[in-house]
Amino acid sequence: MATATQPADHPLLRRSLYVYDLPKELLDSLVLKSTSATTIEDDSATPASRAPCDDNDVPSATTCQLCSFTGSNVVEQRTHAKSDFHHFNVKQKLRGEPVVGEAEFEKLLEALSESISGSDSDSEASSAADDDSNLSALLRKNATLNSQNAVSDDELPRRRKQTSGNAPLIWFITPQLPSPTSLGIYRALFPLSSQADESYLPYIQQMQLATSSAKTPDKHVVLLMIGGGHFAGMIISLRPKPHADKSGDRSAVVLAHKTFHRYTTRRKQGGAQSANDASKGNAHSAGAGIRRHNEAALMNEVRQLLGDWKQLVDTADLIFIRATGTQNRKILFGYDEAVMKSKDPRIRGFPFSTRRATQKELMRCFIELTRVKVSHIDLDSLAAKKSTDSISTTPTTTPKPTKPKPQPTLSDSDLEAQHHTTQLLSLIRRQKLPSITSYITQNKLDINTFRVFSVDSHRTPTLLHLAASLSLPLVISHLLLQHAASPELLNSHNQPAFDLAGDRDSRDEFRIARHELGEQKWDWEQAHVPKGLTRQEVEERKKREVEEEKRVREKEREEGLKGLERDEEERKKGRAEKKGGMGKALGGVVMTGVGREAEMRGLSEEAKKRLERERRARAAEERIRRMAGGR
C-alpha cells in the first residue's frame, strides 16, 4: 500500500506529465514494470477505466466502496449516489449478482439504446423518465443474460486469464521517483507491433516531440464520437502551445473541430429509428419519417466533413473512435470513397468510459489519453494480501459491512469560525449593511484575517471574495469603504476578489473604491482593479446607455411610421386602379402585401407588433372617416 512519504511533492511531479513531452531524466530511466501487477489490477473489481488514485488507499466520506468511486468533494459523492450507475450496482448486490465497473455499465447502457437523446442543456426533469425506463430495462435484460450465460467456477479462471493481458494502462517505474511510485501510459497510444513484443520504451523515445526534427510536420490525432444523433469530431496537434507565464502549463492546439446533432432516437423508448425499423418493420408515423430523414442528413453531413478533413485524417498518427451500433459504424466505414478503413491499424477505441459526444467531452478524452497516470500504491504487496485473503476466506463467507469512520471533531477555533461564517453569510446575502457592521464590531473580527469556514472556502476565503462571487455591489462597496477590506488578498487559485465579480455593477464598485481611497491605499494593480472611476462618471455612463437605447427605439418607431405612410400611398394607388378593372385592383393588393413584408423585414419582433398596431389604427381611422363622409 502507500508509504508514509509523499511522492507528490517530488519536483518532477509538481505539474502534470505529458506523454509526448516527458522530462529527460525520467525518459532515460524508465523501466517496464512486471505484468503481475497488471494481472492483479484486472482481477480486482476496479473498473479498467479508473486510473490509480494518488492518495492513500483509505476510504473517506467521499468514497463509494461498492462502485470503487472516489470523489474530490461531498457534492461529487452525492451526485454519484443519485446516478444510474450506483443504483444499478445496488440492485445487482441485492440480487446476489456481481457489481460492474463504470466502463462496463456504459457499454451495457449503450447496447440497450445507443444514447439518451437530447442536448447537453436538457433539464433533469425532462430526462428523469427516460433514465428510469432505461435503468429498469437494463436490469431486466442483465438478469436474463446472467441466467442464460451462467458459467461454472472452472471456467472463470480461464476467462480471467485471457483478459489479464489487455489492461488499458501499461506501468513503468523509474529510480528518479521514490518507491512505490509508478507511471502509467494508455496501451492504446502504442502501435500494435510494440504491444505484441512489449517493446514500449523505444517507441516512447520516438513519441517525444522535443527530440523530433524541425522539418517533420506536427503530429496530430483524430477523435470522433457518434451515437444517439450526436456527432463530435476534433483534430488536435500533439505539440502543445506553452503559456506566456512561467508556470509551465500548456494548452492543446485544436486544428479542426465540428459537432452535429439530429433528432434520430425515439424519445422515451431509446434506440435509433433504423434499428426499430429493422426489428419491427417501417413505422408510418410523422415522427418516424422525420427521424429517417434526419438519419440520412446526419450521414451526409458526417461523410462530407470527413471528406473535407481527408488530408488531416490520412496524416494522423492515431484515430480514436466511439461509434456504438451498426448504423453508426456504417456512417464512418464501408461506403464508396470512404476516408477511413475499418481495418486501419491506427484506429483505436477509447479505453475508458465516455459521455455524450460534445466538443468538451473530446477535449477531456484527449487530456485523459495523453496525461501520464501517477500511482503511489504498492501493487506487489496488494497482490500478496489478496492471495492471503483468498486462501483464508472460504467462498461461503460474506464480508461484514464496514462501519463508516466517524468524522473528525472540529476544534474550538473552527467551531467559532463556522458560527461566524453562518451568521455573516445570512446577513451578506440579504445585504443588511448595518447588521454586518454591528456583527463585525461586537465580535471584534478583523475583516482581513478572518477566514470563511465553508465547503467553497478555497475559492472565497475572505468576506470580500464571498461578496464578489455573489455579485452584491452594495456589500462590496460597504466592505471596501467602511471596513477597509483588502482587495489584494488572493484565494487558493491566486485570484483577488475583483476576478470573482460576476457583473459590471460589482466591478464598478471596486473602481469607485480605487478613486475614493486613493492609489496609495492598496496595490490596485496586484488586485487587478482597472483605472478608478468616480460615482458620477458611472452614473453618466449608465445615463448615456439608457439614452442610446431610447434613441434606437425611437429610430425603429420612425422607420415603422415611414413604412406605414408608404403603405398608405400604395393603398390609395390600389383604390385608384380599382376603378380601371378588377385585375388591376388584385395586382395592386398583391403588390401592397409584398411591400408590407419588405418593410417589416429586418425589424425586431417588438417593432413588428408596434408597426402592425399602427397600421390597424390607421385603417380604423380611415373606415370611420369614410363612414362619416358617407352620412
Side-chain angles (χ1 to χ4, degrees), residues 80-252:
H80 167 75
K82 297 177 182 178
S83 65
D84 287 346
F85 170 49
H86 179 74
H87 292 167
F88 180 79
N89 278 337
V90 171
K91 294 288 186 181
Q92 290 288 96
K93 184 176 180 180
L94 292 176
R95 293 179 178 181
E97 299 172 358
V99 298
V100 300
E102 187 175 2
E104 186 177 353
F105 174 75
E106 292 290 341
K107 292 179 181 178
L108 291 173
L109 195 60
E110 289 173 355
L112 179 67
S113 60
E114 292 181 6
S115 177
I116 297 176
S117 179
S119 63
D120 278 345
S121 60
D122 289 343
S123 65
E124 294 182 1
S126 63
S127 61
D130 297 353
D131 294 343
D132 293 341
S133 60
N134 284 333
L135 181 59
S136 301
L138 180 58
L139 288 169
R140 291 193 298 270
K141 178 180 178 181
N142 195 50
T144 304
L145 291 177
N146 287 338
S147 62
Q148 294 176 352
N149 300 329
V151 296
S152 63
D153 293 339
D154 296 336
E155 293 178 347
L156 289 176
R158 178 165 51 88
R159 291 191 177 186
R160 188 174 296 174
K161 183 177 181 181
Q162 290 174 353
T163 60
S164 63
N166 296 326
L169 287 168
I170 302 171
W171 294 98
F172 301 87
I173 56 176
T174 172
Q176 298 293 332
L177 298 176
S179 179
T181 304
S182 304
L183 302 180
I185 300 176
Y186 276 109
R187 184 185 299 271
L189 297 178
F190 296 96
L192 299 179
S193 58
S194 64
Q195 297 182 28
D197 55 5
E198 296 188 354
S199 57
Y200 302 115
L201 296 176
Y203 189 75
I204 294 178
Q205 297 280 353
Q206 299 176 12
M207 293 165 67
Q208 304 310 304
L209 299 172
T211 58
S212 60
S213 174
K215 298 180 180 180
T216 305
D218 283 347
K219 298 181 179 181
H220 57 274
V221 294
V222 178
L223 294 88
L224 303 174
M225 289 185 183
I226 184 170
H230 295 269
F231 170 83
M234 184 179 291
I235 302 177
I236 307 180
S237 173
L238 294 177
R239 190 182 300 276
K241 178 175 65 175
H243 286 179
D245 56 10
K246 299 180 180 180
S247 63
D249 293 335
R250 296 153 297 192
S251 58

Side-chain angles (χ1 to χ4, degrees), residues 117-400:
S117 179
S119 63
D120 278 345
S121 60
D122 289 343
S123 65
E124 294 182 1
S126 63
S127 61
D130 297 353
D131 294 343
D132 293 341
S133 60
N134 284 333
L135 181 59
S136 301
L138 180 58
L139 288 169
R140 291 193 298 270
K141 178 180 178 181
N142 195 50
T144 304
L145 291 177
N146 287 338
S147 62
Q148 294 176 352
N149 300 329
V151 296
S152 63
D153 293 339
D154 296 336
E155 293 178 347
L156 289 176
R158 178 165 51 88
R159 291 191 177 186
R160 188 174 296 174
K161 183 177 181 181
Q162 290 174 353
T163 60
S164 63
N166 296 326
L169 287 168
I170 302 171
W171 294 98
F172 301 87
I173 56 176
T174 172
Q176 298 293 332
L177 298 176
S179 179
T181 304
S182 304
L183 302 180
I185 300 176
Y186 276 109
R187 184 185 299 271
L189 297 178
F190 296 96
L192 299 179
S193 58
S194 64
Q195 297 182 28
D197 55 5
E198 296 188 354
S199 57
Y200 302 115
L201 296 176
Y203 189 75
I204 294 178
Q205 297 280 353
Q206 299 176 12
M207 293 165 67
Q208 304 310 304
L209 299 172
T211 58
S212 60
S213 174
K215 298 180 180 180
T216 305
D218 283 347
K219 298 181 179 181
H220 57 274
V221 294
V222 178
L223 294 88
L224 303 174
M225 289 185 183
I226 184 170
H230 295 269
F231 170 83
M234 184 179 291
I235 302 177
I236 307 180
S237 173
L238 294 177
R239 190 182 300 276
K241 178 175 65 175
H243 286 179
D245 56 10
K246 299 180 180 180
S247 63
D249 293 335
R250 296 153 297 192
S251 58
V253 179
V254 179
L255 303 180
H257 66 88
K258 189 67 177 178
T259 57
F260 297 116
H261 171 59
R262 292 280 184 171
Y263 168 52
T264 63
T265 58
R266 303 163 65 238
R267 296 286 172 84
K268 297 188 178 181
Q269 299 181 52
Q273 184 62 43
S274 58
N276 183 73
D277 293 343
S279 61
K280 300 180 181 179
N282 289 350
H284 301 289
S285 63
I290 294 174
R291 289 189 289 269
R292 291 191 196 98
H293 174 269
N294 287 343
E295 284 182 349
L298 180 64
M299 177 185 295
N300 294 332
E301 290 172 346
V302 173
R303 289 179 177 179
Q304 182 179 356
L305 177 67
L306 293 178
D308 296 339
W309 287 357
K310 186 177 187 306
Q311 183 177 359
L312 290 172
V313 173
D314 292 342
T315 57
D317 279 31
L318 294 172
I319 303 174
F320 289 90
I321 294 178
R322 190 207 71 187
T324 307
T326 305
Q327 184 65 24
N328 289 326
R329 295 192 65 83
K330 286 182 179 179
I331 295 178
L332 303 178
F333 307 109
Y335 60 94
D336 295 338
E337 300 180 357
V339 177
M340 299 181 298
K341 306 297 181 184
S342 59
K343 296 183 179 180
D344 191 331
R346 299 174 300 164
I347 293 180
R348 305 282 193 274
F350 290 94
F352 44 81
S353 61
T354 58
R355 295 185 283 269
R356 182 171 298 153
T358 61
Q359 181 180 345
K360 182 179 179 181
E361 175 64 9
L362 287 179
M363 181 57 68
R364 184 191 74 85
C365 291
F366 173 76
I367 295 173
E368 173 68 18
L369 282 168
T370 57
R371 181 179 293 171
V372 178
K373 308 301 178 291
V374 181
S375 171
H376 306 309
I377 299 176
D378 188 356
L379 294 180
D380 293 334
S381 60
L382 181 63
K385 184 177 183 301
K386 287 177 65 68
S387 61
T388 304
D389 293 342
S390 62
I391 294 174
S392 60
T393 305
T394 60
T396 58
T397 59
T398 57
K400 295 181 180 180

Side-chain angles (χ1 to χ4, degrees), residues 322-589:
R322 190 207 71 187
T324 307
T326 305
Q327 184 65 24
N328 289 326
R329 295 192 65 83
K330 286 182 179 179
I331 295 178
L332 303 178
F333 307 109
Y335 60 94
D336 295 338
E337 300 180 357
V339 177
M340 299 181 298
K341 306 297 181 184
S342 59
K343 296 183 179 180
D344 191 331
R346 299 174 300 164
I347 293 180
R348 305 282 193 274
F350 290 94
F352 44 81
S353 61
T354 58
R355 295 185 283 269
R356 182 171 298 153
T358 61
Q359 181 180 345
K360 182 179 179 181
E361 175 64 9
L362 287 179
M363 181 57 68
R364 184 191 74 85
C365 291
F366 173 76
I367 295 173
E368 173 68 18
L369 282 168
T370 57
R371 181 179 293 171
V372 178
K373 308 301 178 291
V374 181
S375 171
H376 306 309
I377 299 176
D378 188 356
L379 294 180
D380 293 334
S381 60
L382 181 63
K385 184 177 183 301
K386 287 177 65 68
S387 61
T388 304
D389 293 342
S390 62
I391 294 174
S392 60
T393 305
T394 60
T396 58
T397 59
T398 57
K400 295 181 180 180
T402 58
K403 296 182 180 180
K405 292 188 176 181
Q407 294 293 333
T409 57
L410 298 177
S411 61
D412 294 340
S413 59
D414 289 341
L415 289 174
E416 183 180 2
Q418 186 180 33
H419 173 72
H420 291 326
T421 299
T422 304
Q423 298 297 324
L424 287 171
L425 181 59
S426 176
L427 297 176
I428 287 175
R429 284 178 173 172
R430 291 182 294 165
Q431 303 188 57
K432 301 290 186 180
L433 304 184
S435 300
I436 294 173
T437 301
S438 176
Y439 189 89
I440 293 175
T441 304
Q442 290 178 2
N443 293 277
K444 299 180 181 180
L445 298 179
D446 189 339
I447 196 70
N448 293 321
T449 59
F450 174 73
R451 290 295 177 263
V452 175
F453 191 90
S454 65
V455 177
D456 201 24
S457 58
H458 64 281
R459 182 172 177 267
T460 57
T462 67
L463 295 179
L464 186 59
H465 280 88
L466 182 61
S469 66
L470 296 176
S471 299
L472 302 175
L474 293 179
V475 180
I476 293 172
S477 176
H478 185 72
L479 294 177
L480 288 171
L481 300 179
Q482 302 299 326
H483 293 279
S486 173
E488 302 175 2
L489 299 177
L490 306 177
N491 60 14
S492 60
H493 302 296
N494 293 327
Q495 293 176 313
F498 180 83
D499 291 350
L500 303 184
D503 55 18
R504 190 171 66 174
D505 290 341
S506 300
R507 293 189 290 270
D508 285 344
E509 293 299 334
F510 282 94
R511 302 182 67 180
I512 293 172
R514 177 173 181 174
H515 176 268
E516 294 185 4
L517 296 176
E519 298 294 328
Q520 304 299 326
K521 179 65 176 177
W522 307 108
D523 188 352
W524 300 101
E525 297 300 329
Q526 180 182 346
H528 297 177
V529 179
K531 181 181 178 182
L533 293 175
T534 62
R535 195 169 296 277
Q536 183 179 1
E537 290 174 343
V538 174
E539 295 297 332
E540 290 177 354
R541 185 189 63 193
K542 292 181 180 179
K543 185 177 179 181
R544 288 195 303 269
E545 292 175 352
V546 172
E547 292 177 352
E548 178 66 19
E549 184 179 357
K550 182 178 179 180
R551 186 184 63 81
V552 172
R553 289 199 300 266
E554 186 66 24
K555 184 177 180 181
E556 290 180 352
R557 182 176 181 279
E558 292 177 357
E559 292 178 353
L561 292 176
K562 290 179 181 179
L564 287 174
E565 293 176 358
R566 288 193 293 268
D567 217 14
E568 183 66 23
E569 292 177 0
E570 290 178 358
R571 281 199 295 270
K572 289 181 180 179
K573 184 178 179 181
R575 287 195 296 269
E577 292 178 350
K578 187 175 181 181
K579 298 178 181 179
M582 185 59 68
K584 292 184 179 180
L586 290 174
V589 172

